[in-house]
């Protein structure tokens, strides 16, 4: 594929900013919840983590399985003199991760795309249901040192 991203940076916003994170015991290298992606063409995208959480497992002794989610909002805009309005999208990522052994994990990832009232006239027709779903299976293996 072609390289289209010029750079990606964490953005200081509200309570998710570098100083607050450091004050709470984090480091200068820990991730923030908002990113700014600048593309090589005249465009940029800001992505916010709106919400995140984990599924509570009744079997609290099971340390080999984890389920979590993240809700994101992205705003994509042209950065030149074009007057097109920004495009806003909402996405949900659902992770279901199982430890295979001491060096590998298997993750099922579902990406759900939702319409946004700010940028889509069919928002109310969708009735807060996902309009696109993508499912992926990933296997993570610990890198040998």
């Amino acid at each position: 594929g072609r390289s289209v991203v010029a750079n990606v940076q964490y953005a200081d916003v509200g309570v998710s900013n570098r100083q607050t994170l450091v004050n709470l015991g984090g480091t200068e290298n820990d991730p923030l919840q908002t990113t700014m992606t600048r593309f090589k063409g005249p465009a940029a995208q800001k992505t916010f983590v709106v919400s995140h959480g984990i599924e509570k497992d009744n079997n609290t002794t099971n340390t080999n399985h984890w389920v979590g989610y993240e809700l994101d909002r992205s705003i994509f805009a042209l950065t030149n003199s074009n007057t097109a309005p920004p495009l806003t999208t909402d996405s949900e990522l659902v992770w279901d991760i199982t430890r295979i052994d001491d060096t590998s994990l298997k993750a099922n990832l579902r990406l759900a795309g939702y319409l946004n009232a700010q940028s889509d006239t069919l928002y109310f027709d969708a009735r807060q249901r996902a309009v696109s779903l993508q499912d992926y299976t990933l296997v993570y293996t610990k890198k040998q040192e």
Side-chain angles (χ1 to χ4, degrees), residues 4-13 16 18 31-49 72-79 86-87:
V4 297
V5 174
N7 67 59
V8 178
Q9 297 175 322
Y10 290 113
D12 280 330
V13 294
S16 180
R18 184 65 54 208
L32 296 176
Q33 293 183 333
T34 302
T35 58
M36 175 64 81
T37 304
R38 295 190 197 317
F39 297 93
K40 291 182 178 175
Q45 178 171 312
K46 195 171 200 175
T47 301
F48 305 84
V49 175
D72 296 337
R73 172 162 288 170
S74 294
I75 302 171
F76 179 87
L78 296 173
T79 56
L87 177 64

Side-chain angles (χ1 to χ4, degrees), residues 13 26 28 51 73 100-101 105 114 122 126 130 135 142:
V13 294
E28 290 290 332
S51 174
R73 172 162 288 170
I100 298 171
D101 55 39
L105 305 171
Y114 296 87
L122 296 175
D135 288 320
K142 186 175 182 179

Side-chain angles (χ1 to χ4, degrees), residues 5 7 11 98 105 111 123 128 133:
V5 174
N7 67 59
T98 303
L105 305 171
L111 303 176
Y123 170 77
Q128 297 181 347
L133 293 173

